[in-house]
Every structure is written in C-alpha cells, then in structure tokens.
Amino acid sequence: MLPINPFAITLWPRCVVNDRSLLEEPEFGEAGLENSFANPPLIAFRADVDAHDTNISDEAWEAVARECSEAFIERRNEVPSEPKSKGFMFFVTHGICAGQLAQPDGRLVVSRFFEAGDICTTIESAQMGQRTQNSIVAVTNVEGVSIPMEVWNSAHFEGGVLATYTREKMYRQHLFEIDLLHTKTENRTEVSYEFLKKWHPAVLAEAPQTVIAQFCGITPEGLSRFLKNYSRR
C-alpha cells in the first residue's frame, strides 16, 4: 500500500467559505534567493526546521529555499493549488486557512483548520501526487511557504535535507488527527469547542463566529446560547 500523506485535508464538513478567487503565487528568482534570509515567511520556516533539526547547514538550507515559493493570500481567497506541476506542501507562517470541499448540493464545507506552524496540502498521496477534491481557503489573511512535492518526497522517502523535519512533523500531525477523530466521533458541541481551545485558540480569537459555529455543527444562534451557558461554569 502506498503511504498516504497525513497532511492531506480530511473530509469532515465544518464550515462554509464563499467568494473564492485564486491568487497567483510568486516564484523565487536569483534576487529572491539572495534575500532569502531577510524574507519573513522563509525565516519562520527555517526557525521551525531548526526546532526539529539543528544539523542543517546554511548551504543546504539555501538549496531548499531556492526551490520554495512565498505566498500571500487574502482572506476568502484560495491557496494556490498548483505552483509546481507535481503539487506542493504549504507551510503556514501567519494566519488561518482551512480545507474546503464542494458538496453535491452546492454547499462549500470546510474540513479542518491550519494555523502558523502547520503544513497542509491538497495532495492525497505524497508519492503519486494524487489530488483530492478539496481546496485550501484563507479564513484570515495568510502568509506561507510552498514546498514543492518533489522536495518533500526527497526528504521524507529518500532521506534528503529535511528528512528529520518531515518525519517529526508527520508524527505530530498523526497525534493531532487522533484527537480530531475523537472530537468528530463525539459529535458534541462542548467537545468540539474544547478541541478548538486546545488546538486552535487563534481560531476562537480571529475566525468569524459562523465558522466556529459550523465547525461545532450548530447555528450561530446555537453557538451564542452555548457560550452563555459555557461562561457560567
């Protein structure tokens, strides 16, 4: 069986996001590479890599940075879906985005959230490059770094420069997915809200109330009633 990428967006319906338009993503040229260490998204990505693996040299890092692209996505816009022909992994450095799926009845539902430090993709199989039917949409303004799938695969499957990093991120993502599965299985507002408090406090602080309500599987009015009772505890 081919390994399935755990960063692929899971398909639990949560919230509706409308008004989509795809933004064009800039590519790094020679000038971009020269300024890579002064680039905020790349600095954030490098810091996250160093937190997992301190043995990557500046030379090796620049080789990775040369292949990556910086992205700035405005709220309600879609994260560019194919900056590279074989897909990409998107590292969020600022803001909140979410997985979106169009239902047969025309509704757009969101599967889960991604915040700064998270990695997401619309590629289901990291080895084969199979696309899911999902898109990734910015809930707030989002900044991040797109990592070409071939760079990610080289690291994860062939022991490339980011090998330790990719494997540790996948392990941590697995722990997150276990908790997420438990939350959706419970299907209770309190459990869903506690999940957000634990894993996504920024969503509670910055995302629209309609998004939070639909994540919890209730109406905005239902969320308001729930929060009133919740605050009295």
Side-chain angles (χ1 to χ4, degrees):
M1 179 183 296
L2 291 173
I4 298 299
N5 189 337
F7 300 115
I9 301 166
T10 48
L11 303 183
W12 294 302
R14 299 215 193 147
C15 63
V16 176
V17 179
N18 295 300
D19 190 21
R20 299 175 297 168
S21 63
L22 190 63
L23 292 186
E24 194 172 304
E25 182 176 34
E27 298 289 337
F28 279 108
E30 292 301 320
L33 176 61
E34 291 170 3
N35 296 319
S36 64
F37 287 99
N39 186 306
L42 278 177
I43 288 176
F45 182 36
R46 175 68 190 267
D48 197 56
V49 170
D50 285 344
H52 295 83
D53 185 357
T54 59
N55 297 318
I56 298 177
S57 67
D58 288 349
E59 182 180 3
W61 169 253
E62 286 213 5
V64 171
R66 183 181 292 110
E67 299 296 326
C68 295
S69 302
E70 189 179 44
F72 301 89
I73 302 98
E74 294 182 355
R75 178 175 174 264
R76 294 186 179 179
N77 283 271
E78 190 174 325
V79 175
S81 58
E82 290 186 306
K84 302 290 184 180
S85 60
K86 295 183 180 179
F88 72 104
M89 306 294 282
F90 185 73
F91 177 77
V92 182
T93 62
H94 176 78
I96 301 167
C97 52
Q100 177 181 273
L101 178 67
Q103 296 294 293
D105 61 4
R107 290 182 303 116
L108 297 175
V109 298
V110 169
S111 56
R112 55 156 294 180
F113 298 106
F114 301 93
E115 297 181 44
D118 289 338
I119 293 180
C120 54
T121 184
T122 54
I123 301 297
E124 173 125 5
S125 170
Q127 224 172 27
M128 294 186 65
Q130 289 180 324
R131 294 283 307 278
T132 67
Q133 295 180 346
N134 317 324
S135 57
I136 303 171
V137 174
V139 176
T140 66
N141 291 341
V142 170
E143 297 179 6
V145 175
S146 290
I147 310 157
M149 190 59 71
E150 53 265 35
V151 173
W152 186 272
N153 286 348
S154 173
H156 186 72
F157 298 113
E158 302 169 17
V161 173
L162 299 179
T164 298
Y165 176 74
T166 61
R167 290 164 186 172
E168 287 198 15
K169 292 294 271 191
M170 291 182 77
Y171 173 70
R172 295 188 182 198
Q173 183 72 6
H174 175 66
L175 297 180
F176 171 87
E177 294 286 356
I178 291 174
D179 203 1
L180 179 60
L181 179 60
H182 169 74
T183 298
K184 301 310 295 182
T185 302
E186 286 286 322
N187 195 29
R188 291 193 293 124
T189 301
E190 183 176 356
V191 174
S192 297
Y193 192 80
E194 290 290 343
F195 176 87
L196 289 180
K197 287 182 64 176
K198 176 181 178 180
W199 290 102
H200 292 299
V203 170
L204 294 178
E206 301 176 33
Q209 289 293 299
T210 52
V211 172
I212 297 171
Q214 291 170 344
F215 171 85
C216 295
I218 57 179
T219 64
E221 294 76 16
L223 176 64
S224 180
R225 289 192 295 271
F226 167 78
L227 290 176
K228 287 179 182 178
N229 293 328
Y230 187 83
S231 64
R232 294 173 185 157
R233 299 177 186 180

